[in-house]
Amino acid sequence: MLGCRLCGGLVDELLDLGRQPLANSFPRPDQTTDEFFYRLAMGACRDCSMMQLLEEVPRDLKYHDGYPYRASGSATHRDHFTSVATNFLARELSTKDAFVVEIGCNDGVMLARIAKAGVRHLGVEPAGGVAELAAAKGIDVLREFFEEETAVRIRSTHGPADVIFAANTICHIPYADSLMRGVAALLKPGGIFVFEEPYLGTVINGMAFDQLYDEHFYFFTVRSVQSMARRFGFELIDAEPTPLHGGSMRYTLALPGQRARTANVRSLLAQEEELTKPDTYRRFRSAVERIRHDLVGLLEQLKQDGRTVVGYGAPGKVTTVTNYCGIGPDLVPYVCDSTPSKQHRLVPGTHIPVRPPDAFRDPYPDYALLFAWNHADEIIAKEQAFLEAGGSWILYVPEVRVVRHVPAGR
Ligand code: SAH
Ligand code: TYD
Ligand code: ZN
């Protein structure tokens, strides 16, 4: 039995998705011989309740100059983060000389609005390619990993922060002790640390097992964030569901006694009791096995019937689902994705080629397997001509199903 990365407590293994390559490592066709594999399995700590991966992949293998994820890649993300920025500008950042730090600013999807407003800010982003995109938007970026030492240095050069923000990044940081000590060193006494991350409840209730991959080291619940906050001298003052990635949670931490606690925390804690029962995990495990069985069965049947299938979107999730299910180019000959840095490369491990979106129309396949299912509304609306041409979407969470018509109400 392994020790919790956060508190050293005992961790019970709950799901094993086998050996997997790095989710965002999209190799070129000539780079497939030296892919890095690790065991993708998760478990929960008996003491602090934190859900975590059982094997940690070194961070330099993931967040380097070639890291391909672009936060601005969808209208949904752009709109969401512009509104996050606008809200900060109207409240916490409305005072003279206010200062905000974003951990994992990626291509600057959130900070662009802050920079435009002329407010003091700093993005901390170790991946060179995306950091450059942020800098080109006029954003101040520090190309480093955020940890205690970085935070202390930022404070001594810029002063304390009114807001420290992160989205889909805190769950990427196994060294939560150094991170939290850094936050404590950098935050103003009356400031807030706000982070929004994939929610364990969404993963479990939505059977979104493909949210598990090397980068998502922790799966937070309100309970585990509360225990993490206390451990490092903070108080969880708010938790609020947000829509990205199929349903995330935004947590707000402050120093004890500095801010009033909202009623949300208590009601969400009560809802989570069911979520973390052994029976719930057992049902999740069987549902995941069922998805693999049904999806592979459907793809094999379609192949036998001579129907064409193409993948749509190459998010990190595509790596988990195709490697876990053993889906290669024989069943899905290619996937289309709008991210230039993924195109003309291969899905890690299963080596399905990634092509630009134009390939989707040329000609339309009979079926499109939607790997970017968290963007289903945006994509299905955008590709309406595909359905009109007789095409069908295949979705696989929370269960495998075929969608032939634009859902009612659209
Ligand atoms: N905030 C964006 C990007 C999330 S991807 C969004 O919500 O879409 C996670 C980002 O965190 C990556 O760009 C990665 O390079 C960065 N990252 C990983 N570890 C980090 C660390 N220790 N400090 C700062 N950024 C980190
Ligand atoms: P996303 O779910 O945002 O990221 P993650 O890797 O964290 O799961 O990724 C969505 C992917 O889908 C991204 O590679 C871009 C792609 N995409 C398209 O190809 N077309 C689209 O219309 C949209 C919205 C996304
Ligand atoms: Zn623990």
Side-chain angles (χ1 to χ4, degrees):
M1 189 129 15
L2 291 151
C4 172
R5 187 69 170 78
L6 205 56
C7 77
L10 293 179
V11 172
D12 292 312
E13 179 171 330
L14 300 169
L15 184 71
D16 182 354
L17 296 177
R19 303 214 45 92
Q20 293 263 354
L22 305 184
N24 271 309
S25 63
F26 296 87
R28 286 196 313 260
D30 62 341
Q31 287 174 325
T32 54
T33 46
D34 56 355
E35 283 181 288
F36 179 94
F37 280 79
Y38 69 104
R39 183 167 89 99
L40 177 58
M42 72 170 188
C45 173
R46 285 186 196 176
D47 290 350
C48 74
S49 87
M50 187 65 85
M51 184 70 79
Q52 54 202 273
L53 297 192
L54 305 184
E55 211 174 297
E56 179 182 341
V57 171
R59 64 188 190 179
D60 296 324
L61 292 180
K62 299 182 270 192
Y63 313 115
H64 44 64
D65 289 356
Y67 182 65
Y69 178 73
R70 302 282 179 273
S72 297
S74 80
T76 318
H77 274 56
R78 288 193 297 274
D79 293 349
H80 175 78
F81 288 116
T82 303
S83 103
V84 167
T86 310
N87 282 332
F88 282 144
L89 288 171
R91 298 193 187 101
E92 271 75 21
L93 301 179
S94 63
T95 54
K96 190 172 169 287
D97 215 30
F99 177 46
V100 54
V101 172
E102 182 177 13
I103 306 173
C105 69
N106 197 267
D107 62 5
V109 68
M110 198 288 282
L111 285 178
R113 175 80 187 78
I114 306 272
K116 210 164 141 201
V119 166
R120 281 203 311 136
H121 64 273
L122 185 66
V124 186
E125 175 50 68
V130 286
E132 246 163 59
L133 293 174
K137 293 175 186 161
I139 294 165
D140 295 328
V141 191
L142 184 64
R143 287 174 204 191
E144 285 181 35
F145 287 96
F146 185 95
E147 56 194 350
E148 189 177 9
E149 187 271 322
T150 335
V152 169
R153 205 161 8 98
I154 295 172
R155 186 186 171 122
S156 68
T157 25
H158 299 260
D162 297 86
V163 176
I164 300 178
F165 177 74
N168 306 299
T169 298
I170 301 308
C171 70
H172 291 224
I173 303 183
Y175 38 102
D177 43 354
S178 169
L179 162 92
M180 292 299 288
R181 285 198 305 267
V183 169
L186 179 56
L187 200 64
K188 239 183 216 170
I192 47 171
F193 174 33
V194 181
F195 54 100
E196 45 178 89
E197 307 288 321
Y199 182 54
L200 181 70
T202 307
V203 172
I204 299 276
N205 296 327
M207 309 307 165
F209 67 97
D210 54 355
Q211 283 280 31
L212 267 76
Y213 50 88
D214 56 299
E215 294 175 23
H216 293 167
F217 188 82
Y218 292 116
F219 285 94
F220 297 125
T221 55
V222 175
R223 183 172 157 217
S224 61
V225 170
Q226 188 177 53
S227 73
M228 179 170 88
R230 284 183 182 150
R231 214 179 154 72
F232 295 96
F234 288 97
E235 187 183 7
L236 175 64
I237 55 164
D238 190 31
E240 187 194 349
T242 63
L244 293 196
H245 297 289
S248 297
M249 192 70 79
R250 176 185 300 146
Y251 306 95
T252 304
L253 272 53
L255 288 177
Q258 292 283 340
R259 302 258 178 157
R261 198 170 126 171
T262 66
N264 284 3
V265 174
R266 189 174 314 156
S267 66
L268 286 162
L269 282 173
Q271 285 172 34
E272 279 179 358
E273 274 175 26
E274 198 58 36
L275 179 66
T276 47
K277 290 195 170 140
D279 254 5
T280 310
Y281 295 133
R282 254 195 299 279
R283 277 199 301 276
F284 177 60
R285 234 178 0 246
S286 335
V288 171
E289 282 162 12
R290 171 92 205 207
I291 289 172
R292 171 165 64 178
H293 173 269
D294 290 354
L295 184 57
V296 172
L298 174 63
L299 293 174
E300 281 173 347
Q301 186 61 52
L302 291 173
K303 185 179 176 183
Q304 240 174 50
D305 296 346
R307 316 307 297 269
T308 52
V309 182
V310 161
Y312 201 108
K317 299 182 271 287
V318 74
T319 301
T320 300
V321 62
T322 59
N323 281 277
Y324 170 65
C325 297
I327 296 169
D330 54 325
L331 293 177
V332 177
Y334 56 92
V335 302
C336 298
D337 191 283
S338 57
T339 317
S341 46
K342 295 180 185 176
Q343 293 161 5
H344 310 296
R345 290 176 171 253
L346 306 173
V347 171
T350 49
H351 303 160
I352 301 172
V354 183
R355 298 196 179 156
D358 287 354
F360 185 58
R361 282 160 218 112
D362 187 24
Y364 279 130
D366 298 316
Y367 291 80
L369 175 51
L370 187 54
F371 292 112
W373 51 259
N374 50 319
H375 299 285
D377 288 353
E378 182 177 339
I379 290 172
I380 294 176
K382 181 159 89 183
E383 299 289 359
Q384 200 163 344
F386 168 58
L387 286 176
E388 283 160 7
S392 304
W393 291 100
I394 300 172
L395 289 140
Y396 57 89
V397 293
E399 61 196 358
V400 176
R401 65 199 191 281
V402 173
V403 177
R404 292 207 167 76
H405 304 290
V406 179
R410 220 174 283 283

